[in-house]
Amino acid sequence: MKNDTEKEIPVDEQEERKGLDSRFRYHAIGIALIVFITSIALMGVYYVMFHLEKLSNVLIFLGGIFKPVLYGFVIAYLMTPVLNWMEQKHVKPFIEKKGLKIGSRGISVLLTAILCLLALFIVIYLFISQIIPSINDIIVNIDLYSQNISQFFNSAFENYPEISEQITNLYDFLYDKLESLINTLMANFSSIMLTVLTGGLNLLKTLWNFILGFIFALYMIGSKEMFVGQARKIIYCIFHEDTANQILADARYTHRTYIGFIGGKILDSFIIGCLCLLFTTILGTPYNGLVSLIVGITNVIPFFGPFIGGIPCAILVFVVTPTQPLNMVYFAILILSLQLFDGYVLGPRILGNSTGITGFWVIFSIITFSGFFGVAGMVIGVPTFAVIFAAIRRVVNGHLEKKGLSTNRRKYETMDAMHNGEFVIYPKEEKKPKAVHHTLRDIFKHGFKSHHK
């Protein structure tokens, strides 16, 4: 039984109070979230400003933990085209032809792993059987090569004693510096060995991370459709439908750009390296295995790669055989011919227009990203900038279309102004001689007459 002092609250007032309470709770939660996010941001700014070293150590520690996962993502991404080719072109047709009731994915993953490991084994075998003996031979015969270079310059400039003397002095200076460096290294042999041991341990750790990453990659490519489905599910859960569709479209374009450029560049560089090995063997170029490997690896770097690999190799060929300078000339002509073949025939067939940016932006992206990320930036700079360039172009074209303006770039190249959405080109005015010309002419004319008089 209710107390007489209690008053019954009308239903409308109860609903109004509930609405006020819910709005209050909503605003309170919003304010609490804003305060929480602001506090986290201020803490982040504080740690960046006053504890940057500790923060970098934490990031390095976390990077070391997740390094196998990162390796696995990269390996899986590079192995995916091989898996698709193996499964669609060979495994599935074979299973359907034989009428077998087994899954094609497991067999495809196994064959892809074997193929990739075989390619890695071939590279390591070439490095051990060709490159290491070549480097060892260069170190053993360094004195002989230096004597050959000295004799070459002496014979070449024997009729010019002053130039010969300057070259000899320069050579003696460089040789003394090299000898002093070798003596310093021998004096610090123990510290150098410790550094080498540390490097060897780091190499073993990197190898172990690579093995873990390779195993992780096999699991990823084996269930790649599941991971793609989960990622799409999360995207559509967080974003609006139109935004999610645009994110997926951008992701597909990014994938096509990266896999088309990096995969095509690796195949292109492998072919160039093999052709270089074939022709250097025919020409009898010294250390043909070493120079071909350098040319093939550096060819992965767009534009600057041929110079980075070709110039040191040409110098090496000259140092080894200075009495036969034509070997260096033949090698230089070979590298130039290979690059012309790569630029106009092989590259367009393999890469096509995978980036969609001009030569200026290619050079700009290589220089910029190499400054931030070193050699890795030179490799990934072009596709990364192509993706950024495409995103900027899409935003600009979208705003122009909203304004009802043309997106054709060539129209903007020749325009002078725009009025009501129409491109305007001002007529070219004829150049009229300035009045000062007539004045100067009259001055000289009258001056000449008065002087003549």
Side-chain angles (χ1 to χ4, degrees):
M1 187 174 178
K2 290 185 179 182
N3 206 356
D4 295 336
T5 58
E6 293 182 357
K7 296 181 179 179
E8 187 175 354
I9 301 173
V11 177
D12 295 339
E13 188 175 349
Q14 291 180 4
E15 295 294 333
E16 185 177 356
R17 288 185 179 182
K18 287 181 180 179
L20 290 172
D21 292 339
S22 62
R23 284 196 296 272
F24 175 77
R25 285 195 297 269
Y26 176 78
H27 289 298
I29 293 172
I31 293 171
L33 286 174
I34 292 173
V35 171
F36 177 74
I37 294 172
T38 305
S39 302
I40 294 296
L42 291 175
M43 290 174 61
V45 172
Y46 171 78
Y47 271 95
V48 169
M49 293 178 63
F50 300 102
H51 299 280
L52 183 60
E53 185 176 356
K54 294 181 180 179
L55 184 63
S56 63
N57 292 333
V58 172
L59 294 177
I60 291 173
F61 175 74
L62 294 176
I65 293 176
F66 290 101
K67 191 171 289 185
V69 179
L70 178 62
Y71 287 173
F73 274 111
V74 175
I75 295 171
Y77 187 73
L78 296 177
M79 289 174 64
T80 299
V82 182
L83 174 69
N84 295 335
W85 170 76
M86 183 68 70
E87 186 173 19
Q88 300 297 330
K89 299 293 184 180
H90 299 282
V91 177
K92 272 190 175 180
F94 178 80
I95 292 176
E96 292 175 358
K97 183 178 179 180
K98 298 295 182 180
L100 302 176
K101 296 182 179 180
I102 56 175
S104 61
R105 177 53 55 85
I107 299 175
S108 302
V109 170
L110 179 61
L111 293 177
T112 302
I114 293 173
L115 185 62
C116 294
L117 290 176
L118 181 62
L120 183 62
F121 172 77
I122 292 173
V123 172
I124 295 174
Y125 174 77
L126 289 175
F127 182 81
I128 295 175
S129 62
Q130 297 291 330
I131 311 308
I132 293 180
S134 299
I135 296 174
N136 184 51
D137 188 55
I138 292 172
I139 295 173
V140 170
N141 296 316
I142 188 68
D143 292 333
L144 176 62
Y145 297 152
S146 63
Q147 293 176 7
N148 292 337
I149 294 173
S150 178
Q151 292 175 3
F152 170 78
F153 282 112
N154 289 332
S155 61
F157 296 100
E158 59 182 357
N159 296 327
Y160 305 94
E162 295 181 356
I163 299 176
S164 178
E165 184 179 359
Q166 294 294 330
I167 293 175
T168 303
N169 293 334
L170 178 61
Y171 172 76
D172 292 338
F173 173 76
L174 294 176
Y175 188 81
D176 292 338
K177 288 294 184 182
L178 180 61
E179 188 176 6
S180 175
L181 178 62
I182 293 174
N183 292 331
T184 304
L185 293 176
M186 294 302 295
N188 300 314
F189 182 76
S190 58
S191 60
I192 293 173
M193 288 302 297
L194 180 61
T195 305
V196 171
L197 181 61
T198 304
L201 293 176
N202 291 331
L203 180 62
L204 290 176
K205 186 177 180 180
T206 302
L207 180 61
W208 175 246
N209 289 332
F210 176 81
I211 294 173
L212 293 178
F214 187 80
I215 297 173
F216 182 76
L218 294 181
Y219 280 97
M220 284 194 65
I221 63 175
S223 304
K224 58 187 182 70
E225 289 83 3
M226 180 187 71
F227 293 118
V228 170
Q230 291 174 345
R232 291 175 178 173
K233 185 177 178 181
I234 293 173
I235 290 172
Y236 280 99
C237 173
I238 297 174
F239 300 100
H240 189 266
E241 182 178 331
D242 295 336
T243 306
N245 291 335
Q246 188 60 54
I247 291 174
L248 292 184
D250 293 339
R252 283 191 290 267
Y253 176 79
T254 303
H255 168 69
R256 288 195 303 268
T257 303
Y258 270 91
I259 205 66
F261 181 81
I262 296 177
K265 201 63 182 173
I266 291 174
L267 178 60
D268 173 76
S269 301
F270 176 75
I271 295 174
I272 292 296
C274 293
L275 290 176
C276 183
L277 179 62
L278 174 63
F279 288 112
T280 50
T281 304
I282 295 174
L283 294 174
T285 305
Y287 304 115
N288 57 344
L290 176 63
V291 298
S292 300
L293 181 65
I294 294 174
V295 168
I297 291 175
T298 55
N299 193 72
V300 177
I301 301 173
F303 190 78
F304 295 106
F307 302 101
I308 296 173
I311 294 175
C313 290
I315 295 174
L316 174 63
V317 172
F318 174 73
V319 168
V320 173
T321 57
T323 56
Q324 299 175 351
L326 288 179
N327 285 339
M328 184 186 70
V329 176
Y330 294 151
F331 179 77
I333 294 174
L334 172 62
I335 295 300
L336 181 60
S337 302
L338 286 176
Q339 294 310 316
L340 291 174
F341 170 74
D342 184 24
Y344 291 98
V345 179
L346 184 63
R349 287 184 175 272
I350 295 177
L351 297 175
N353 192 20
S354 58
T355 57
I357 57 178
T358 60
F360 170 80
W361 293 117
V362 169
I363 299 174
F364 173 81
S365 61
I366 293 172
I367 295 174
T368 304
F369 281 85
S370 64
F372 285 104
F373 306 106
V375 178
M378 300 180 76
V379 177
I380 66 171
V382 175
T384 302
F385 185 82
V387 172
I388 297 173
F389 189 86
I392 296 174
R393 180 174 54 198
R394 179 170 57 82
V395 172
V396 171
N397 290 341
H399 283 286
L400 289 175
E401 289 174 354
K402 287 181 180 179
K403 294 181 178 181
L405 302 178
S406 174
T407 59
N408 189 352
R409 174 180 54 85
R410 298 190 180 277
K411 292 184 178 180
Y412 292 89
E413 293 177 359
T414 57
M415 67 171 287
D416 292 314
M418 183 178 292
H419 295 291
N420 298 324
E422 297 293 333
F423 293 93
V424 178
I425 301 176
Y426 294 145
K428 293 183 179 180
E429 297 181 358
E430 296 182 359
K431 292 184 178 180
K432 298 180 180 180
K434 295 182 179 178
V436 67
H437 294 164
H438 298 285
T439 305
L440 290 174
R441 185 181 62 187
D442 294 339
I443 291 173
F444 282 110
K445 183 178 179 181
H446 294 300
F448 177 75
K449 287 183 179 179
S450 61
H451 178 72
H452 183 69
K453 290 179 180 179

